[in-house]
Amino acid sequence: MSPQNRSTSLLAAFPVSARRFLISIGIGWVVVGIVEATAYTVLADAVANSGRPGPVLVIAGASLVVTVLCSRAGYLAGARLAGELYRALGTALARTKLAWFTSAHRALVTRAAGIGIPALMGVPAHQLQTFILAPLVPILLLGGICLVSGPAPAALTAALLVIALGVQVQAQRRLAGADAARHEAEQEATTATLELVDHLELLRAAAGPVRALARTEEAWSSQDVAMRRTNRAAVPATLVSRFASLLPLAGVLVFLAVTNGFANPLAALALIILAGRASAPIDELALAGISVNEVRAVSAGLRDVLSAPTLPMAQETAERMPRDNRIEVLAVTAGSALSPVTAVIPEGERARIAGPSGAGKSTLLGLLMRFDDPTSGVITLGGTPLTAMGEAELAARISYVPQVPVVFTGTIASNIRIGRPDANDQEVADAATMAGLGPVLSRHESGIDQQVGRNGAALSGGECQRVAIARALIKRAPIMILDEATAALDDATERQIADAMADVESTIIIVTHRTTDVWRADQTIELSGGRG
């Protein structure tokens, strides 16, 4: 791939705001290339014609200044670029369909955030310098050779540069093929590692501590093999590239020897200076080949994340406010996971969603919260289709307790306040008590400020569920969705929580496989199963 095409592929990974940084720094590197080529031409002319050193020193100083300024601007732009990319990544993830987050895609996000964006920080100061100066300086110096030494040496140098570049391109293509396999192996290794971390307890219980690592070690081994292949491919590619970088200068030396050019030592030295500098980028490209492939791979991964499928959001000017919190589900389906469902949940009622395993209960809840859109049918809230509501307005009206509770590292209070950040300590304590966390608060002098450990490791599964319920309660949203929210609780605790929530005025939608009389549901929505 040519430097221009590589630059284009890199730019495609960046949002528009970030591209402006790269374009401005790219213009700066063009200026650096022009000044540098001018400096070498002035130097060669002074050598060939025994000129005064003053102009050489002035233009050399100017070249040094603009190079330093552009490099520093590149580093600053890299920091700003990283900020823009993380911002774009966060925006994309906030709107990406949840169904997209498979294990492979989660690994892709992990690499993009942890490896990709930090690697792309170096593009303005390093990769753009190579992409722009490598082709620009030799082209400009060919004009300098023509002015100082004549058209014949310029034509010869141009031909040798083209040959050397062709050899370099072929070497890099071979290296890129091996490197692509390495990146694929790294992606699979990251996916396997995340799977191991997420399910370590299950794997240890099912296969034992040694066999639990088998799947992950296989991926790691494949990554190691791919890395060795890349290293083996890099050795001949780098060797060939190094010979290619020496070809133009060697050809010029032969030309001078054949044409008796060394009879004028100063003119010969001037030509050698210009030809040597013109051929230097060939060597730079050889050394930058692997890093360029790395940047291309991580930029492609970032582009895949930024272009993940999203839900269309209503424009602020077109948003429609619901008149109340009445929910209507009209002939809704979701692929093969959910048969057509029609139901009405009046404001303030309690509705139980029931059905066999695989009937689509969690799928329906996801559609009610607009984690995805139905394949057919429509869901309205207060007479307004969910697709016509702003995401902030919809989020403000719903609180949610998932099947697997999410507890973040920190305190009980900080976890509960996620539901309402401005809640005071008393409100947090009341929500915790309503959710059945009273015994947990009383066992430690810190109360709601006690640490829960890394991702809630200091709490039991049932206590984590109660934290998630308290988080939903404190939000005081008009609609509360509980997806197996009490599965890890004993019957007495579930009844205690249900009784405490009896006076909650919110619409409550419940999925539970246990005895349901404690929730006193006003209606049951029966799902018959998916259509697959």
Side-chain angles (χ1 to χ4, degrees):
M1 181 179 290
S2 68
Q4 180 180 359
N5 289 336
R6 282 176 176 167
S7 299
T8 302
S9 66
L10 286 176
L11 284 174
F14 302 140
V16 175
S17 58
R19 294 179 198 177
R20 297 193 186 101
F21 297 146
L22 299 180
I23 291 173
S24 61
I25 297 301
I27 293 173
W29 284 120
V30 170
V31 173
V32 169
I34 294 173
V35 175
E36 181 180 344
T38 302
Y40 271 93
T41 301
V42 171
L43 172 62
D45 182 67
V47 170
N49 300 296
S50 301
R52 299 173 59 186
V56 176
L57 294 176
V58 171
I59 192 66
S63 177
L64 177 62
V65 170
V66 296
T67 301
V68 171
L69 290 177
C70 193
S71 294
R72 180 165 179 78
Y75 287 119
L76 294 176
R80 295 183 63 186
L81 175 64
E84 289 291 326
L85 292 178
Y86 277 120
R87 191 174 298 111
L89 180 64
T91 300
L93 294 180
R95 295 188 173 183
T96 297
K97 291 184 177 182
L98 294 184
W100 180 84
F101 289 96
T102 62
S103 296
H105 287 156
R106 287 173 57 219
L108 190 66
V109 172
T110 300
R111 285 182 55 80
I115 299 176
I117 293 179
L120 294 175
M121 286 178 63
V123 169
H126 298 297
Q127 276 71 33
L128 275 185
Q129 180 183 14
T130 299
F131 296 154
I132 294 174
L133 295 188
L136 179 62
V137 171
I139 291 173
L140 295 175
L141 287 177
L142 288 175
I145 293 174
C146 188
L147 290 174
V148 175
S149 303
L156 173 64
T157 304
L160 293 172
L161 286 173
V162 170
I163 294 173
L165 182 60
V167 174
Q168 166 70 17
V169 169
Q170 291 301 318
Q172 290 305 315
R173 282 181 177 175
R174 291 180 177 273
L175 180 59
D179 213 35
R182 177 177 68 87
H183 282 290
E184 183 178 348
E186 286 182 350
Q187 175 69 20
E188 293 176 356
T190 302
T191 302
T193 302
L194 286 175
E195 180 185 75
L196 174 66
V197 172
D198 290 343
H199 307 296
L200 185 58
E201 293 180 356
L202 174 62
L203 290 171
R204 280 188 177 180
V210 176
R211 290 175 52 212
L213 294 174
R215 288 163 55 86
T216 308
E217 286 180 337
E218 182 178 350
W220 290 342
S221 177
S222 297
Q223 180 184 10
D224 181 59
V225 171
M227 177 66 75
R228 286 194 302 242
R229 287 175 180 169
T230 299
N231 291 338
R232 286 197 297 268
V235 173
T238 304
L239 183 62
V240 170
S241 297
R242 182 58 58 90
F243 279 117
S245 67
L246 296 175
L247 180 61
L249 184 58
V252 166
L253 291 174
V254 172
F255 171 79
L256 289 172
V258 171
T259 60
N260 199 28
F262 287 110
N264 186 344
L266 292 181
L269 178 59
L271 176 58
I272 291 172
I273 290 173
L274 292 176
R277 180 62 187 94
S279 62
I282 302 297
D283 188 47
E284 293 174 9
L285 286 173
L287 296 176
I290 295 179
S291 64
V292 168
N293 290 335
E294 179 75 22
V295 172
R296 286 175 56 201
V298 298
S299 65
L302 177 62
R303 184 170 61 248
D304 290 342
V305 175
L306 296 180
S307 61
T310 60
L311 292 172
M313 294 297 173
Q315 299 295 324
E316 291 186 6
T317 55
E319 291 179 8
R320 290 168 52 186
M321 296 294 291
R323 60 177 178 266
D324 53 32
N325 295 297
R326 174 187 174 92
I327 298 173
E328 294 187 51
V329 181
L330 306 174
V332 165
T333 66
S336 61
L338 185 66
S339 297
V341 178
T342 296
V344 176
I345 306 175
E347 183 173 15
E349 277 200 0
R350 298 189 174 201
R352 175 195 172 218
I353 298 178
S357 179
K361 298 184 290 297
S362 294
T363 299
L364 178 58
L365 295 185
L367 296 177
L368 293 175
M369 293 178 283
R370 210 188 169 211
F371 291 165
D372 205 341
D373 286 333
T375 304
S376 62
V378 64
I379 300 175
T380 65
L381 178 59
T384 300
L386 298 188
T387 54
M389 292 179 59
E391 53 186 324
E393 176 63 26
L394 180 60
R397 290 174 178 261
I398 298 176
S399 59
Y400 170 54
V401 184
Q403 291 185 25
V404 179
V406 178
V407 177
F408 300 95
T409 304
T411 64
I412 291 178
S414 66
N415 271 277
I416 295 175
R417 279 199 178 94
I418 294 174
R420 183 156 59 90
D422 61 348
N424 59 41
D425 286 352
Q426 187 58 53
E427 290 170 325
V428 171
D430 290 344
T433 301
M434 185 179 293
L437 284 170
V440 178
L441 302 185
S442 62
R443 74 188 181 196
H444 197 285
E445 60 182 7
S446 299
I448 61 173
D449 294 319
Q450 62 184 279
Q451 295 290 325
V452 299
R454 185 177 182 276
N455 296 333
L459 302 177
S460 68
E463 290 166 350
C464 287
Q465 281 197 326
R466 279 173 270 179
V467 170
I469 293 171
R471 180 190 300 149
L473 287 169
I474 204 169
K475 187 175 181 179
R476 298 176 182 171
I479 300 170
M480 183 178 296
I481 294 177
L482 308 177
D483 186 4
E484 296 285 357
T486 57
L489 303 180
D490 57 66
D491 291 340
T493 304
E494 180 180 21
R495 185 175 298 278
Q496 174 189 346
I497 293 174
D499 291 342
M501 294 173 61
D503 296 330
V504 173
E505 297 180 356
S506 304
T507 300
I508 299 179
I509 301 173
I510 312 157
V511 170
T512 178
H513 286 94
R514 302 172 66 176
T515 303
T516 58
D517 58 344
V518 297
W519 291 99
R520 297 185 285 276
D522 297 296
Q523 65 167 302
T524 297
I525 301 171
E526 288 283 354
L527 303 183
S528 59
R531 298 183 297 168

